[in-house]
Amino acid sequence: MSGWSDMFRKDKGGARSHSGRGSRKQGNTPMPAVRYATSPLLASKTPPWRIKFLTGAIGLAFAVLIGRAAWIQIIHTEFYQQQGANRYERRIELPANRGRILDRNGELLASSVPAPSLWAIPKDMDASPQELRKLARLLDMSTPELKKRLGGSNNFVWLRRQADETTAQQVAALKLKGVHEIKESRRQYPEGEAAAHVVGFTNVEDKGQEGIELAYDRDLSGRDGQRHVIKDRLGRVVENVGDLVPAADGREIRLSIDAKIQANAYQRIRDAVAAHKAKAGSVVVIDTLTGEVLALANFPSYSPGNRRNLTGAQLRNRALTDTFEPGSTMKPFIVSWALETGRVKPDTPIQTAPGRMTIAGSTISDSHPHGVLTVAEVIQKSSNVGTVKMAMEMAPREMWELYTAVGMGQKPQIGFPGAVTGRLRPYKSWRPIEQATMSYGYGLSASLFQLAHAYTVFAHDGELIPLTLIKRDNPAADEPALHTSSGGLGWSQAVAARREQASSLVPVKGTRVLSVETVREMREMLRMAAGNGGTSPLAQTVGYSVGGKSGTAHKQEGKGYASNKYRSWFVGLAPINKPRIVVAVMVDEPSNGKYFGGAVAGPVFSQIVQNTLPRLGVVPDLDVQTHIVAQPAVEESF
């Protein structure tokens, strides 16, 4: 306390007095002024340990900061750079355009077009019940369904993918908060139902699901590109970073299909199914010069661009996926092998009376007795007994190797999804009755496509040729379209051009199965089968010679055969002396009174040949008549 006493004394003893801020009065006695410079608190010495502690604490803090900086910028720099990039850097996809699908002449079969897709942010929406009802109606859904969809997420929900422009405009006119539109890509299929089973379709993500769209999805899809950008907190692009990776568009696929031949084939089989009140039908058309498939049509079909309520029956590519017992269409192969091995000649007589024969307790019959038939007449009349008598002179292995050589029991190598193998059992397991029935097409199974492929042996001078759905490269790759408009070639000029191109085409090489001489003899027999006195006179065509073989079979049902359900088909060649096309027709379950292949499928073959050969520039080889007078068909045995 002595310090304070001295200070007060000093002030009393002569220090100058302060007024105002320097002193205060308490009553009449002035307060002494305080000199802070001489404060004992400031005058006291700071302990040395405290200075050291503060210095150490500050140093430690700096060490921690330096360590943290080293951890972030040196040791763990990649992690933090990535975190920064995640917050500001964005990768924007640059979608590739899906490649087009074209027919052999450049006609468009599938292409991509922009389509609006509608989406919403449910938490931003404040639509009234009336507005929700309008929106649901435009989206073709019920109001409860729309509410359920909007309730699935607060931040994002699709309302309609790939909508049409009219719907998008009507939705935009509602001006609903939280409803937005973006542009996506949608596939368009100009040929619709006619080419649906060949072209196939994609899903909403533009991925192939069926047909060529699936088989060549990788080629058609291309490769998406990308660019890296920096966005601000509002999502705006402020800077491009890194190199731009451009999108590589999908490549164009050019099919062997001719859109006009395809459309005609579809129309003809559709009309035949309707006329005969049938369940379904299929057509395959093959160019025997190049091995290209010109048409592959099925009915019922579907629209690839509108697949609502699509059924499995519509979706099935029956020509490739459905197998059946080929029946009498196998007889020409047995007779050809008998000719090839020198067992018979075309005029060799065979006794078929009394129209039936028994093997191991089972009876094989003809539709009616024929008596003695030549080998050629066995094909013309479609005699089961005559065919079996030739087949039973062969070893089972011979027949098995022959059937295998023409593609039975083997998956078609055309790179198309869904193609089936069929059934051909090993020859070692055949019993005599099974060998007999296999000679006229029972006990094995094949698709219509396999059957058409097998008949290329007769069309290509004994060679089984490889088939393709992709246009082959050849000197006449760009064929002129048959247009009559002023912008294109006239009909006669285009046909003449195609004839010239056909002469320059390089025939495809095949695998030798039969000799040229045997095949020429068989073609004459097939001409007889499709002519008057044969089983298929209705297959004849104005201006062109034809040949082929009909088939009729009871459909399998459970472990046996249905007595009133049939499958009818016809496989033929034209022109018969120098075949350019093979046409195979199948009608499933005709139920309007006719069921023989010659009567049901034969006329469809005739119509398709009549349309196809002129389009290929094939010169008629018969005098053109105004009509064909066909005698009643001989009932074939089946």
Side-chain angles (χ1 to χ4, degrees):
M1 297 296 294
S2 60
W4 285 101
S5 300
D6 292 342
M7 184 175 69
F8 282 118
R9 272 191 219 99
K10 266 186 195 177
D11 192 57
K12 253 185 198 179
R16 85 189 155 93
S17 67
H18 294 272
S19 62
R21 288 179 300 174
S23 64
R24 288 187 303 171
K25 292 182 179 180
Q26 186 173 3
N28 294 323
T29 306
M31 290 289 294
V34 178
R35 294 181 176 276
Y36 292 101
T38 59
S39 169
L41 294 175
L42 296 178
S44 62
K45 294 184 178 181
T46 302
W49 64 267
R50 188 163 61 181
I51 294 175
K52 294 178 181 179
F53 174 78
L54 291 174
T55 303
I58 294 172
L60 180 61
F62 272 104
V64 170
L65 291 175
I66 293 172
R68 182 63 176 168
W71 175 262
I72 293 174
Q73 299 186 34
I74 299 175
I75 300 173
H76 216 217
T77 180
E78 292 183 4
F79 171 79
Y80 289 98
Q81 286 178 344
Q82 184 62 46
Q83 292 299 307
N86 290 343
R87 286 163 174 75
Y88 300 106
E89 186 178 329
R90 294 290 182 269
R91 177 182 298 175
I92 298 178
E93 295 290 339
L94 303 176
N97 292 320
R98 191 172 179 85
R100 301 185 302 168
I101 301 176
L102 308 175
D103 85 334
R104 64 184 301 105
N105 301 313
E107 296 283 343
L108 197 62
L109 298 179
S111 64
S112 296
V113 295
S117 288
L118 306 172
W119 60 282
I121 303 175
K123 67 180 181 181
D124 292 346
M125 293 185 66
D126 58 357
S128 67
Q130 184 179 3
E131 289 174 328
L132 283 178
R133 285 195 296 271
K134 290 181 180 180
L135 179 60
R137 186 171 63 253
L138 292 175
L139 297 175
D140 195 21
M141 64 177 68
S142 65
T143 303
E145 184 181 356
L146 175 60
K147 290 181 178 178
K148 181 179 180 181
R149 183 170 296 189
L150 292 174
S153 171
N154 286 328
N155 298 316
F156 178 88
V157 64
W158 284 112
L159 296 178
R160 171 63 61 80
R161 300 287 296 274
Q162 300 178 2
D164 57 80
E165 290 291 346
T166 302
T167 299
Q169 291 172 4
Q170 291 174 337
V171 171
L174 295 178
K175 298 181 179 179
L176 297 177
K177 183 181 178 182
V179 177
H180 306 275
E181 175 187 322
I182 62 171
K183 289 293 184 182
E184 290 191 298
S185 179
R186 179 177 64 193
R187 292 296 264 182
Q188 194 173 51
Y189 303 96
E191 293 299 316
E193 294 182 357
H197 291 106
V198 175
V199 179
F201 57 86
T202 62
N203 61 14
V204 293
E205 302 297 339
D206 227 14
K207 299 298 181 183
Q209 301 297 295
E210 290 287 342
I212 294 295
E213 292 276 30
L214 174 59
Y216 291 88
D217 184 59
R218 179 175 296 181
D219 295 320
L220 289 165
S221 296
R223 186 186 69 251
D224 290 343
Q226 60 184 16
R227 69 183 181 121
H228 292 271
V229 299
I230 293 178
K231 290 186 176 183
D232 63 15
R233 66 183 184 86
L234 298 178
R236 297 173 299 190
V237 176
V238 296
E239 183 182 359
N240 289 311
V241 294
D243 295 329
L244 173 69
V245 179
D249 291 341
R251 76 179 182 92
E252 198 170 80
I253 302 294
R254 194 163 187 174
L255 303 184
S256 63
I257 297 295
D258 185 304
K260 299 298 186 293
I261 298 174
Q262 176 76 21
N264 177 70
Y266 174 73
Q267 292 166 6
R268 298 306 182 186
I269 195 62
R270 179 192 62 191
D271 294 346
V273 169
H276 295 283
K277 297 181 180 179
K279 182 178 179 181
S282 301
V283 173
V284 177
V285 182
I286 296 171
D287 185 335
T288 61
L289 188 63
T290 62
E292 295 169 313
V293 179
L294 300 176
L296 193 157
N298 299 277
F299 185 84
S301 186
Y302 63 94
S303 174
N306 182 13
R307 300 185 298 279
R308 293 185 182 181
N309 304 317
L310 183 63
T311 65
Q314 292 173 290
L315 189 61
R316 277 194 359 238
N317 190 342
R318 298 170 186 270
L320 283 166
T321 64
D322 286 15
T323 61
F324 53 88
E325 292 176 312
S328 296
T329 54
M330 298 307 294
K331 292 174 182 176
F333 296 101
I334 295 299
V335 174
S336 294
W337 192 248
L339 293 169
E340 183 79 5
T341 55
R343 291 184 171 97
V344 297
K345 294 182 179 180
D347 57 357
T348 299
I350 297 178
Q351 179 59 264
T352 65
R356 61 183 180 275
M357 62 185 297
T358 301
I359 298 178
S362 298
T363 301
I364 295 169
S365 304
D366 285 340
S367 58
H368 49 81
H370 295 292
V372 177
L373 296 176
T374 65
V375 169
E377 289 173 332
V378 167
I379 293 296
Q380 182 186 28
K381 309 298 182 183
S382 193
S383 170
N384 288 343
V385 173
T387 305
V388 169
K389 284 191 173 183
M390 285 182 271
M392 297 311 289
E393 294 181 6
M394 304 174 188
R397 180 173 180 174
E398 283 184 84
M399 281 181 55
W400 183 86
E401 289 178 344
L402 173 65
Y403 284 179
T404 301
V406 297
M408 297 294 110
Q410 300 176 65
K411 186 175 181 178
Q413 300 301 308
I414 57 169
F416 196 86
V420 296
T421 302
R423 182 172 62 92
L424 178 64
R425 292 188 297 109
Y427 64 89
K428 291 183 179 180
S429 66
W430 294 4
R431 294 176 296 155
I433 185 60
E434 291 174 328
Q435 180 180 352
T437 58
M438 284 188 190
S439 70
Y440 56 92
Y442 282 86
L444 70 155
S445 66
S447 66
L448 187 69
F449 190 89
Q450 286 178 301
L451 205 53
H453 187 200
Y455 267 65
T456 63
V457 168
F458 302 130
H460 206 263
D461 288 340
E463 292 182 346
L464 183 75
I465 61 176
L467 303 185
T468 180
L469 279 165
I470 304 300
K471 182 172 173 55
R472 295 193 192 278
D473 294 329
N474 55 63
D478 298 318
E479 301 179 17
L482 296 180
H483 295 310
T484 56
S485 61
S486 58
L489 295 175
W491 179 272
S492 58
Q493 292 93 337
V495 169
R498 288 199 173 186
R499 289 174 185 168
E500 183 179 349
Q501 287 178 339
S503 64
S504 66
L505 292 175
V506 178
V508 66
K509 295 294 183 182
T511 303
R512 175 68 58 188
V513 177
L514 300 169
S515 66
V516 175
E517 182 60 31
T518 296
V519 167
R520 287 176 180 170
E521 292 173 344
M522 178 48 61
R523 285 205 292 256
E524 178 59 24
M525 298 180 199
L526 293 174
R527 184 193 64 76
M528 293 169 58
N532 292 330
T535 58
S536 309
L538 294 179
Q540 295 177 65
T541 303
V542 175
Y544 295 98
S545 61
V546 300
K549 189 70 187 72
S550 60
T552 312
H554 288 286
K555 290 190 68 174
Q556 287 184 311
E557 197 170 73
K559 295 182 178 180
Y561 293 90
S563 60
N564 59 347
K565 293 182 180 180
Y566 304 90
R567 188 178 268 114
S568 310
W569 55 90
F570 184 90
V571 188
L573 331 168
I576 193 61
N577 293 324
K578 190 177 181 181
R580 179 64 191 275
I581 59 173
V582 168
V583 180
V585 180
M586 185 275 291
V587 179
D588 188 14
E589 287 191 31
S591 59
N592 200 24
K594 297 179 180 179
Y595 53 83
F596 285 109
V600 175
V604 180
F605 166 87
S606 174
Q607 294 163 351
I608 293 174
V609 168
Q610 192 72 61
N611 172 268
T612 303
L613 290 180
R615 185 163 179 80
L616 296 178
V618 177
V619 180
D621 62 339
L622 296 178
D623 292 334
V624 177
Q625 300 175 2
T626 56
H627 62 281
I628 296 176
V629 179
Q631 298 177 359
V634 174
E635 287 188 2
E636 65 180 288
S637 304
F638 64 95

